[in-house]
Amino acid sequence: MSVMDWGIAQARAALAKGKVSAEELTRAHLTAIETLNPRLNAFITVTGEQAIAAARASDTRRGRGEVGALEGIPLAVKDLFCTAGVRTTAGSRILADFIPPYESTVTAQLLRDGAVFLGKVNLDEFAMGSSNLTSAYGGVENPWKRAGSPDVKLVPGGSSGGSAAAVAARLVMGATGTDTGGSIRQPAAFCGITGIKPSYGRCSRFGVVAFASSLDQAGAFARSVEDCAILLGSMSGFDPRDSTSADVAVPDFAAAAERGVKGLRIGVPREYRLGGLSAEIAALWEQGLAWLRDAGAEIVEISLPHTKYALPTYYIVAPAEASSNLARYDGVRFGSREKGDDLRDLYERTRAAGFGDEVKRRIMIGTYVLSAGYYDAYYLRAQKIRALITRDFTDAFGRVDAIVTPTTPSAAFAEGENTDDPVTMYLNDVFTVTANLAGLPGMSVPAGLDKQGLPLGLQVIGRNFDEETVFAVGRAIERAAAFSAKPAVMA
Amino acid sequence: MSLDQATVRRVAALARLHVEEADVVRLQGELNGILGWIEQLQEVDVTGVEPIAGGGGALRWRSDAVTDGGMAEKILANAPDREGEYFGVPKVVE
């Protein structure tokens, strides 16, 4: 097996035995990036020299017996996390030259544990999108191909499209992502890898460029459930600099993944079957439930009656928060600036030139639903429906320990498909967005291929702050699925 | 509720987004498409439901104390324009 196929757990073992150095591991991955990134466009910024220096420092620490949980492991960072001294664009023109003077808490914790960052990876602009096509730095090519169509470029999903493509193509062993409506789980499913969005408050949002603050949550991508557990363990924990960070202990996620599912009650929401679910996705879902039943879980039908309202609710709440959060990009303190006749004209021209179409649409929707006369009809009503959606889950979790659903309504689509109308694109997140509205942990695990040879994922949703059960169920699906297919484009 | 062109212009102004006149009709169509789809929320019975803002409930309080500061250079390092230790902007007072 090539070092490029190692997961984090295997690499840790090899590093511990001295079979490979962090520098060798880093150089091998940088070579892969050099070869494949011109095509995939997964990285916006590659920090090769810094990575080699960091890998050497890691080898030196190891020589002294100082070995962190991610000592010497090559990772990529979604370009939404501020990294001190390294350009952070959020996928937007407006931050094209922004160099943060500080480090996000999540990346600081990964560095504390010895991780080596190879660079900053592509995303939809300000994490708004499900295809990575709204990035000002170009789309990302999904390393998977439809059988018989090697020239059709598929999207990696979004918004964390660069993270998912980089991990799937073996350019890195893991990556950070953020998930506001499905931005970790959907690209993980599209790229045939594992991704976890933990409970709201589990990972600090300090230093993460804000999109919708009540929904944004950092999480991890890797090629196995265990590796995701290792990454999330490093990223999690209380941070006084984020007022919504939860002061709760971080359990051993990797140990929890091995608990098994015997005796667990797994909920299957009947509302997720509605609305023309494809036969292939329905069959995969049934297969997943059968695996869990075989592993000793009990399958229970549940109802989440307000499911169909989750996506339109999200498209009030998220743009409202975005319109507020993105007000800071005014061309004065940081970011790009356009000339204007006066200060107001400077603001308006700076924002018009700096933001892409999707970001502008969402800012305008958000501004409208918060404006005088419409606040009650839209925003307040959405907050009430959000309460109903949360209550649906609370009721369900009185009867079950976890919920299993498909991650996405389809496999990866091609560039140019689903782009004629914004709402069609929004429907990608129909199965994932509920967990964000309710603040619950959710994970996507690759479970099979469709008839075109593209990966499909199953989603596990857990109780608030019960990532342990999510990992256990995810691991049981992973073990039964024995997903071993590989993308067409990889190192 | 459907946005007319005057409302599109007003919302753009509130959002501090310069919109070219030629783009107003396109934006009107896109925004109305999204708002028309959101309209289905009006059918939900929300009588007696308390709204939630999300974010895991009550925010934590902290003491009202200065915990940081003295880093003007760091803060100004990304400024598009500066005058000494101040951000530079076009003249706002005659």
Side-chain angles (χ1 to χ4, degrees):
Chain A
M1 190 191 236
S2 138
V3 297
M4 305 307 291
D5 267 330
W6 286 350
I8 293 170
Q10 287 157 299
R12 284 203 308 197
L15 284 161
K17 287 185 188 148
K19 285 184 180 170
V20 71
S21 69
E23 185 176 346
E24 286 164 341
L25 215 49
T26 291
R27 285 187 186 277
H29 285 84
L30 285 172
T31 301
I33 293 168
E34 205 174 312
T35 308
L36 291 178
N37 197 56
R39 171 180 182 171
L40 297 175
N41 199 33
F43 282 79
I44 293 176
T45 306
V46 179
T47 50
E49 285 179 22
Q50 284 151 279
I52 289 166
R56 284 184 179 151
S58 170
D59 285 329
T60 304
R61 282 194 300 273
R62 186 179 294 277
R64 287 199 303 258
E66 297 165 23
V67 182
L70 290 164
E71 199 60 62
I73 301 297
L75 301 179
V77 175
K78 185 177 185 179
D79 208 13
L80 201 64
F81 292 82
C82 286
T83 40
V86 176
R87 180 172 84 132
T88 299
T89 68
S92 183
R93 272 188 300 278
I94 211 161
L95 290 177
D97 299 314
F98 176 59
I99 299 176
Y102 64 100
E103 190 78 27
S104 81
T105 297
V106 161
T107 50
Q109 290 181 182
L110 291 168
L111 292 171
R112 170 202 69 199
D113 291 342
V116 175
F117 294 158
L118 305 194
K120 306 294 292 287
V121 276
N122 211 334
L123 68 158
D124 281 295
E125 185 177 7
F126 285 105
M128 298 182 195
S130 307
S131 65
N132 214 112
L133 291 171
T134 73
S135 170
Y137 302 88
V140 172
E141 183 175 348
N142 189 324
W144 290 80
K145 297 291 163 193
R146 287 177 183 152
S149 305
D151 299 326
V152 177
K153 273 173 83 171
L154 304 176
V155 304
S159 66
S160 312
S163 304
V167 173
R170 274 72 177 160
L171 304 185
V172 282
M173 291 183 172
T176 68
T178 61
D179 189 316
T180 303
S183 283
I184 288 174
R185 292 159 287 160
Q186 184 250 19
F190 276 17
C191 292
I193 60 169
T194 305
I196 177 146
K197 176 203 93 75
S199 309
Y200 185 85
R202 180 65 92 180
C203 292
S204 170
R205 290 182 300 105
F206 177 80
V208 182
V209 175
F211 160 17
S213 304
S214 78
L215 300 159
D216 296 344
Q217 185 55 208
F221 290 92
R223 295 191 294 267
S224 72
V225 172
E226 180 185 19
D227 287 0
C228 270
I230 293 168
L231 287 174
L232 190 66
S234 174
M235 295 166 66
S236 296
F238 176 62
D239 178 9
R241 289 178 298 184
D242 170 3
S243 62
T244 59
S245 172
D247 195 357
V248 294
V250 180
D252 183 341
F253 297 129
E258 298 306 325
R259 280 180 186 174
V261 294
K262 200 168 172 49
L264 288 186
R265 293 167 66 88
I266 305 294
V268 184
R270 72 169 72 96
E271 289 78 9
Y272 279 55
R273 292 181 197 279
L274 306 175
L277 190 61
S278 89
E280 270 185 303
I281 303 257
L284 182 80
W285 192 10
E286 285 306 320
Q287 177 64 69
L289 298 174
W291 288 330
L292 292 171
R293 203 180 287 117
D294 290 346
E298 183 188 349
I299 308 301
V300 181
E301 183 167 289
I302 57 166
S303 175
L304 299 169
H306 297 90
T307 295
K308 72 174 277 206
Y309 301 110
L311 209 46
T313 298
Y314 174 84
Y315 275 96
I316 290 177
V317 172
E321 295 184 22
S323 73
S324 171
N325 272 325
L326 272 61
R328 73 191 70 179
Y329 304 104
D330 59 4
V332 174
R333 289 158 299 155
F334 58 105
S336 65
R337 170 187 289 194
E338 296 292 316
K339 284 198 166 61
D341 297 336
D342 52 28
L343 189 57
R344 177 166 181 146
D345 194 45
L346 178 152
Y347 294 151
E348 294 190 347
R349 289 185 187 275
T350 293
R351 291 163 61 77
F355 294 140
D357 287 343
E358 180 62 23
V359 171
K360 284 187 229 179
R361 269 195 292 275
R362 295 204 198 183
I363 289 174
M364 289 186 69
I365 290 285
T367 303
Y368 178 68
V369 300
L370 291 174
S371 66
Y374 301 100
Y375 182 92
D376 285 2
Y378 286 112
Y379 189 65
L380 191 64
R381 171 167 283 265
Q383 288 187 308
K384 289 178 179 175
I385 299 171
R386 185 174 186 178
L388 292 172
I389 290 163
T390 304
R391 189 196 293 171
D392 285 352
F393 278 105
T394 306
D395 292 347
F397 281 122
R399 300 179 51 214
V400 299
D401 301 298
I403 294 169
V404 172
T405 77
T407 307
T408 56
S410 75
F413 49 90
E415 289 188 12
E417 292 171 6
N418 287 349
T419 48
D420 45 342
D421 159 39
V423 175
T424 311
M425 185 66 83
Y426 297 168
L427 294 175
N428 265 285
D429 293 331
V430 65
F431 297 142
T432 47
V433 73
T434 50
N436 299 85
L437 288 167
L440 303 172
M443 173 180 232
S444 179
V445 181
L449 299 177
D450 74 356
K451 60 180 179 295
Q452 301 191 94
L454 296 179
L456 296 171
L458 288 175
Q459 175 181 229
V460 185
I461 300 173
R463 290 189 184 98
N464 209 7
F465 291 100
D466 186 16
E467 286 85 355
E468 292 167 279
T469 300
V470 173
F471 277 115
V473 175
R475 177 74 184 106
I477 293 172
E478 179 183 60
R479 189 179 281 130
F483 185 86
S484 59
K486 290 186 178 153
V489 182
M490 58 177 259
Chain B
M1 277 177 267
S2 176
L3 304 191
D4 57 20
Q5 292 183 22
T7 307
V8 171
R9 288 190 200 94
R10 187 175 64 85
V11 170
L14 284 171
R16 300 292 185 269
L17 287 168
H18 178 84
V19 172
E20 297 292 342
E21 215 28 58
D23 291 329
V24 171
V25 173
R26 175 182 57 83
L27 273 171
Q28 184 190 14
E30 289 171 358
L31 298 179
N32 280 328
I34 297 166
L35 290 168
W37 170 70
I38 285 171
E39 203 63 27
Q40 59 182 297
L41 295 182
Q42 301 304 324
E43 73 196 40
V44 182
D45 181 3
V46 293
T47 316
V49 178
E50 282 299 312
I52 60 166
L59 294 181
R60 197 177 53 253
W61 289 74
R62 60 168 173 78
S63 57
D64 184 14
V66 176
T67 57
D68 221 340
M71 51 175 87
E73 275 311 312
K74 274 188 169 183
I75 288 166
L76 285 159
N78 281 289
D81 185 22
R82 61 181 286 187
E83 301 279 343
E85 287 210 335
Y86 300 91
F87 294 107
V89 293
K91 198 170 178 181
V92 285
V93 183
E94 290 301 327

